[in-house]
Amino acid sequence: MNIQTGLAVATLLFAMSAMAVAGSSDVVVENAWARASIGTSRPGAAYMMVRNAGAEAVTLIGIETPAAGMAEIHRTATDSRGVSSMSPAGDIEIGPGEAAKLEPGGLHGMLMGLRTPLKQGDSFDLTLRFADGGTVAVAVPVLGIAARGPGR
Ligand SMILES: [Cu+2]
């Protein structure tokens, strides 16, 4: 290719990478909730649906909240003997039109070192961080101690 074409391709690639940066602005968070905690000695968990309404894949890389000393996305897995355990989920890629579901028994936002107990009826702020540098803030309502899903 000649220099002109090369420049045009470089410009196009640059434009495309700039578009990718806008990816996380197309993220919609729905049905966020957390279960009330008994105290602060055990971690809390936050659940939500993280939907990518955009045309570019986005990668969820972490969460932050003033409600906890440390917050991390975990994945619960159950092995062939029925023993479940959880571990940090790492980066979670969400394709265009797809959603990552944080729900009991699967992915969840683990809230370690709760600053105060999570009280039913309260809500707390939580920020999702994405690989493109974008963040999405969400208010997480605290449901009852026996809640199993949003609004239940
Ligand atoms: Cu966990």
Side-chain angles (χ1 to χ4, degrees):
M1 78 177 87
N2 62 33
I3 284 181
Q4 257 83 33
T5 315
L7 276 175
V9 168
T11 307
L12 181 65
L13 287 174
F14 180 77
M16 283 169 67
S17 66
M19 271 161 60
V21 170
S24 60
S25 63
D26 294 318
V27 168
V28 181
V29 178
E30 291 162 354
N31 292 333
W33 67 284
R35 196 176 284 134
S37 70
I38 294 170
T40 57
S41 59
R42 300 191 59 206
Y47 307 102
M48 66 201 72
M49 166 111 89
V50 185
R51 199 158 57 79
N52 178 6
E56 308 271 344
V58 297
T59 304
L60 178 59
I61 59 170
I63 54 172
E64 287 162 14
T65 173
M70 185 183 166
E72 214 169 45
I73 298 172
H74 281 181
R75 187 187 304 277
T76 301
T78 305
D79 70 15
S80 54
R81 292 166 303 169
V83 179
S84 65
S85 60
M86 60 186 178
S87 51
D91 294 350
I92 299 165
E93 186 173 307
I94 309 169
E98 294 181 353
K101 279 187 205 159
L102 279 62
E103 57 190 1
L107 293 170
H108 54 277
M110 196 81 184
L111 313 177
M112 290 159 283
L114 288 177
R115 299 234 154 86
T116 59
L118 301 179
K119 268 182 28 207
Q120 183 172 2
D122 284 357
S123 73
F124 58 90
D125 296 325
L126 186 141
T127 302
L128 306 172
R129 291 194 300 116
F130 292 87
D132 64 7
T135 59
V136 175
V138 54
V140 181
V142 180
L143 306 184
I145 205 147
R148 305 192 60 79
R152 271 177 283 164

